[in-house]
Amino acid sequence: MDDASMVGLMGRVTGTIGPGLVGEVIVRIRGGAEHFLAYPSSPKDRIETGTVVMVVEYLPPRTVYVSAAYDG
């Protein structure tokens, strides 16, 4: 999977993401669902478990930077 194909995919937070925390997201990809370590795209953001997020950067093999997909 190349970097560009991960960017823009949607996922759900399975472990809280925030300052000083390495969170986790699950993303549907390659015909299944995979877990990735996750950091907030904005360093001060905190994203709670269950939030729908969008991948904004991918660092192979298992790390993504994400932002909340919806305001609220």
Side-chain angles (χ1 to χ4, degrees):
M1 167 132 305
D2 65 15
D3 297 2
S5 60
M6 277 292 292
V7 173
L9 291 179
M10 305 292 264
R12 185 169 303 271
V13 177
T14 55
T16 301
I17 302 165
L21 300 173
V22 178
E24 183 181 64
V25 297
I26 189 166
V27 178
R28 290 197 172 277
I29 191 166
R30 294 186 275 264
E34 298 182 19
H35 288 267
F36 293 85
L37 298 177
Y39 294 92
S41 61
S42 177
K44 294 181 181 178
D45 285 352
R46 182 177 175 95
I47 307 172
E48 300 295 332
T49 300
T51 303
V52 176
V53 293
M54 180 184 302
V55 176
V56 296
E57 187 176 348
Y58 171 58
L59 301 174
R62 308 290 314 160
T63 302
V64 293
Y65 283 79
V66 298
S67 61
Y70 308 106
D71 291 333

